[in-house]
Amino acid sequence: NLSVSWLGMKMSSPLFNASGVYCRTREELEQVRRSAAGAVVTKSCTLEPRAGNPEPRYRRTALGSINSMGLPNEGYRYYLDYAQAYDDAKPLFLSVSGMTLDDTLTILTELAALKLPCLPEVNLSCPNLPGKPQLGYDFAASAEALEAISRRYARPFGVKLPPYFDPAHFAAMAAVLNAFPLLRFVTCINSVGNGLVIDLDSESAVIKPKGGLGGLGGDYVLPTALANVREFAVLLADKHVIGCGGVKSGAEAFMHILAGATAVQVGTCLHEEGVSAFDRIEAELAAIMQAKGYQRLEDFRGRLKTL
Ligand code: DHB
């Protein structure tokens, strides 16, 4: 039994897509909805549709992926329309990434007015907009954004965080987040921003935007993701942590849940394998649990041993 109940939602599986993967168009969203995934999250949306950065802007590598998509999306009305027509017990999340705080507030205000059973995942961590720093790396600006959101959106919501790399930063961000009771979940982590993948033969960067800099996913990021899940699960005692980063089999999904994740998103692997990845990873997770004698996710969630 891989089911998860949280925030009044029931998921038949802890796995779903990471925002950005299989969720830009209605057709992709429907593929995730009809798959073995336990939930669906939309591509981060802006007020207006965006074409995104010049191509090539995503490349697979031996250890994962690098991308600098630049927020290509159909504009928030498209995703609100999808949410309004959505008729499935599988929870739906709306990823929101306004180009400005005002844009994010406008989108959230319309979402609230529609009273949809659709939780926003507010993106504090897009690394791919030239000239725009990741909000989550500015603690004061993050606090201001969350205050404004809490004033305008009197409903439960979550945030997508960038990876942090220092205990002082985990503590500082946790203190910010703990001041907002309506903030019910954090998704850890977004891609590890601004890596540079170089092709030896051609002596070239492999993606075009930002001189080749892009967000890393896949094997590169698993230990960083697990550290962020673990630290925020401990520091945000009454909030949920959704794990994201480096999940490509049942083993990594198990590790995220052991570190404290309520549910687990799949990004790079889903991009490479398609929605059948959900069936495979779920079967592998179930086999690991059976071999270890665990019947439910709660039997091991957060029970990481330390030495
Ligand atoms: C994009 C990348 C991200 O990591 C994110 O959080 C939002 C958008 C992008 O490049 O499209």
Side-chain angles (χ1 to χ4, degrees):
N1 178 1
L2 297 182
S3 70
V4 195
S5 294
W6 62 294
L7 302 184
M9 301 177 288
K10 171 130 195 219
M11 291 168 48
S12 61
S13 153
L15 302 176
F16 60 118
N17 64 305
S19 182
V21 182
Y22 271 91
C23 59
R24 175 174 170 179
T25 65
R26 191 173 274 111
E27 290 69 31
E28 290 174 333
L29 289 158
E30 284 292 282
Q31 282 192 69
V32 177
R33 185 184 67 77
R34 288 193 297 257
S35 77
V40 181
V41 58
T42 61
K43 170 68 183 171
S44 287
C45 63
T46 53
L47 270 190
E48 299 302 328
R50 288 173 56 87
N53 290 339
E55 296 181 335
R57 57 191 187 183
Y58 172 96
R59 285 287 294 266
R60 166 164 49 99
T61 74
L63 293 176
S65 63
I66 183 168
N67 86 82
S68 181
M69 304 300 289
L71 226 32
N73 78 95
E74 309 300 318
Y76 80 104
R77 286 177 207 282
Y78 180 95
Y79 303 100
L80 286 185
D81 286 349
Y82 180 76
Q84 271 193 288
Y86 191 84
D87 183 25
D88 196 300
K90 194 171 278 196
L92 175 66
F93 297 84
L94 180 77
S95 176
V96 178
S97 193
M99 299 299 287
T100 64
L101 176 57
D102 263 359
D103 288 0
T104 294
L105 296 174
T106 299
I107 295 168
L108 290 175
T109 302
E110 285 204 33
L111 175 64
L114 293 174
K115 296 198 161 62
L116 301 172
C118 168
L119 275 179
E121 181 186 80
V122 178
N123 191 352
L124 301 183
S125 47
C126 177
N128 298 336
L129 298 173
K132 268 195 171 281
Q134 292 163 79
L135 196 61
Y137 286 144
D138 182 334
F139 302 120
S142 293
E144 277 175 36
L146 292 170
E147 275 156 23
I149 289 167
S150 296
R151 279 195 299 269
R152 286 276 285 272
Y153 190 79
R155 298 158 66 89
F157 69 102
V159 292
K160 176 84 165 269
L161 296 178
Y164 300 95
F165 302 93
D166 191 289
H169 294 168
F170 291 129
M173 195 60 183
V176 167
L177 300 169
N178 275 324
F180 300 97
L182 285 172
L183 176 64
R184 301 306 308 136
F185 73 93
V186 301
T187 303
C188 298
I189 57 174
N190 209 317
S191 53
V192 171
N194 298 291
L196 176 61
V197 171
I198 296 176
D199 178 65
L200 183 62
D201 285 343
S202 60
E203 304 175 16
S204 173
V206 302
I207 58 173
K208 180 161 177 174
K210 291 176 71 173
L213 300 192
L216 303 176
D219 295 350
Y220 299 112
V221 313
L222 177 67
T224 296
L226 293 174
N228 278 260
V229 169
R230 170 63 171 182
E231 293 307 298
F232 283 110
V234 170
L235 292 166
L236 306 177
D238 62 354
K239 303 186 194 298
H240 292 273
V241 178
I242 307 308
C244 183
V247 174
K248 63 176 184 184
S249 75
E252 299 82 26
F254 185 95
M255 291 177 203
H256 269 271
I257 295 165
L258 190 69
T262 295
V264 177
Q265 299 176 343
V266 186
T268 296
C269 168
L270 174 61
H271 185 91
E272 294 302 325
E273 187 173 335
V275 296
S276 65
F278 292 118
D279 301 274
R280 178 182 59 77
I281 298 171
E282 277 166 37
E284 292 165 354
L285 175 59
I288 291 169
M289 287 169 59
Q290 179 153 38
K292 289 175 174 285
Y294 294 130
Q295 255 125 52
R296 293 167 297 272
L297 302 177
E298 305 89 81
D299 295 343
F300 64 96
R301 181 179 290 118
R303 304 222 181 136
L304 176 69
K305 295 175 196 165
T306 57
L307 305 178

